[in-house]
Amino acid sequence: MNQKKQTMIAIFLFTLVLLGNSVIFSIVPALSVADLLPVRARFSGFFGLTATDQTLDPFQILFCYSVIATACMMPWALRQGTAGLYTTRWKHYGLRALLEYTAYTLTLISLTYLGTNFTLPMHTALNFITPLLATVAAILVLKEKSGAHTWICLALGFLGVLVITRPGMIPASPGVLYVLGAAVAFSFCGVVIKLLCSTESPKKIAFYLLLMTTFLSIPMGVRHWQNPAPDVWFWLAVIGGLSYAVQILVGKAISKVPYMVIIPLNFVQLIFSTVLSYFVFSRPTDALTYAGAVIILASTIYNSLRTRVHAEREAAIATAM
């Protein structure tokens, strides 16, 4: 298969990943925020379900959809057998699961603060800072070399965060702190994934992530447990299935092309979030959110380009010596 076709497939797969994430982030608030129960009722009725007024704690939501997503991967795991699932990278898997659990917990909690001053598009735009933070994490953990462009881009990225959050101009939302905390955790996840990819397949990485995240989510999930109503189980199953699909698709997309190729596509998720925010929550997106997102994404793309050029130059020098 030629590279052009590979790239087109990767772009399509990653677009599906972004759409899946946007849908998940639209469903979670409707399961956990009482003020959004009418939204859930409207869409539950569309599927012929009787809506209830039950809301779940984010910890239970994480536990439930982790179990469902892991169950979706069990047929693949059983086909692999002991030999196919064998690994010596338990420390890295454990670290990644802990980071992912922390990141997803903070993400789900941040979604409970969605409102007039913290919209779904703002949540999505703030997540654009993750690749920049991942570069810093790689410098600190992997000892990768950095140039002045890295720190300039990071500063511009935080400028974009300020444009989106507008401290002093709009009421501060705790959701901003939670989503930025999640971005830090996700950035270190990227470093661990990079280490794991040297020996592990994308599906094996996804399976152990979901399995370990499920075990990590048991204590708080059980502590906040309440028996979900039928309509709630339906939406939990949708989230679980989408989470499984996202894990599989992102691994396939990244395996086909360099990560740099798909970074610009992250802006597509802002489009999806804007559409869903308007039609699901009836909340429009302001121009400053778009402006901040553009600043962050442009900084990320420029940093990735310069980093790749720097790496190619270093490799050429090493080969010539």
Side-chain angles (χ1 to χ4, degrees):
M1 189 180 297
N2 61 50
Q3 187 58 48
K4 184 178 180 180
K5 190 173 182 179
Q6 290 271 29
T7 301
M8 293 302 295
I9 292 174
I11 290 173
F12 175 70
L13 293 176
F14 198 68
T15 301
L16 292 179
V17 168
L18 299 175
L19 176 60
N21 281 332
S22 298
V23 173
I24 291 172
F25 293 160
S26 297
I27 295 173
V28 169
L31 290 176
S32 56
V33 181
D35 290 345
L36 296 177
L37 287 175
V39 173
R40 193 174 87 214
R42 186 169 75 250
F43 284 92
S44 293
F46 179 79
F47 289 100
L49 299 169
T50 301
T52 64
D53 60 357
Q54 184 183 46
T55 58
L56 299 184
D57 187 271
F59 285 107
Q60 183 179 351
I61 295 174
L62 177 59
F63 171 61
C64 289
Y65 86 66
S66 295
V67 170
I68 294 169
T70 303
C72 290
M73 285 214 72
M74 287 309 297
W76 173 86
L78 292 173
R79 288 196 301 270
Q80 302 309 302
T82 305
L85 294 176
Y86 175 79
T87 183
T88 59
R89 310 291 299 278
W90 292 112
K91 289 183 179 179
H92 289 100
Y93 275 120
L95 179 59
R96 193 220 168 169
L98 183 61
L99 288 167
E100 289 273 359
Y101 172 73
T102 301
Y104 276 111
T105 298
L106 294 174
T107 295
L108 295 188
I109 293 175
S110 73
L111 289 169
T112 65
Y113 289 95
L114 289 186
T116 304
N117 299 311
F118 182 58
T119 63
L120 185 60
M122 287 177 68
H123 178 278
T124 300
L126 289 172
N127 271 304
F128 290 166
I129 198 72
T130 300
L132 284 176
L133 295 176
T135 300
V136 177
I139 294 169
L140 296 175
V141 178
L142 302 179
K143 308 302 180 184
E144 293 186 357
K145 294 182 179 180
S146 64
H149 67 275
T150 299
W151 305 107
I152 293 173
C153 288
L154 185 63
L156 289 173
F158 280 111
L159 174 62
V161 170
L162 293 176
V163 171
I164 294 170
T165 57
R166 283 152 275 169
M169 295 177 63
I170 60 175
S173 170
V176 171
L177 296 179
Y178 282 113
V179 75
L180 290 177
V184 172
F186 277 129
S187 68
F188 280 95
C189 283
V191 174
V192 180
I193 292 172
K194 187 173 182 179
L195 293 171
L196 283 170
C197 284
S198 62
T199 61
E200 311 294 282
S201 69
K203 280 194 174 182
K204 186 190 290 187
I205 293 173
F207 172 70
Y208 278 123
L209 164 68
L210 293 171
L211 182 65
M212 291 182 174
T213 301
T214 299
F215 280 106
L216 287 172
S217 64
I218 289 175
M220 295 301 291
V222 171
R223 179 180 178 183
H224 294 276
W225 181 265
Q226 52 179 310
N227 292 326
D231 68 313
V232 175
W233 269 124
F234 172 80
W235 293 113
L236 288 172
V238 171
I239 295 174
L242 286 173
S243 298
Y244 160 72
V246 163
Q247 288 294 330
I248 298 301
L249 292 175
V250 74
K252 288 185 176 181
I254 293 176
S255 68
K256 292 182 179 295
V257 294
Y259 189 50
M260 177 58 220
V261 174
I262 58 179
I263 283 179
L265 292 175
N266 280 296
F267 200 78
V268 175
Q269 187 167 342
L270 183 60
I271 298 173
F272 290 146
S273 296
T274 300
V275 173
L276 289 169
S277 180
Y278 182 78
F279 286 103
V280 176
F281 303 114
S282 301
R283 291 186 179 125
T285 304
D286 59 87
L288 286 177
T289 297
Y290 285 119
V294 169
I295 293 172
I296 297 173
L297 193 62
S299 302
T300 300
I301 294 172
Y302 179 71
N303 179 63
S304 298
L305 284 171
R306 285 296 304 271
T307 300
R308 187 178 68 177
V309 170
H310 180 74
E312 291 174 349
R313 186 184 301 122
E314 290 288 323
I317 293 173
T319 302
M321 292 179 65

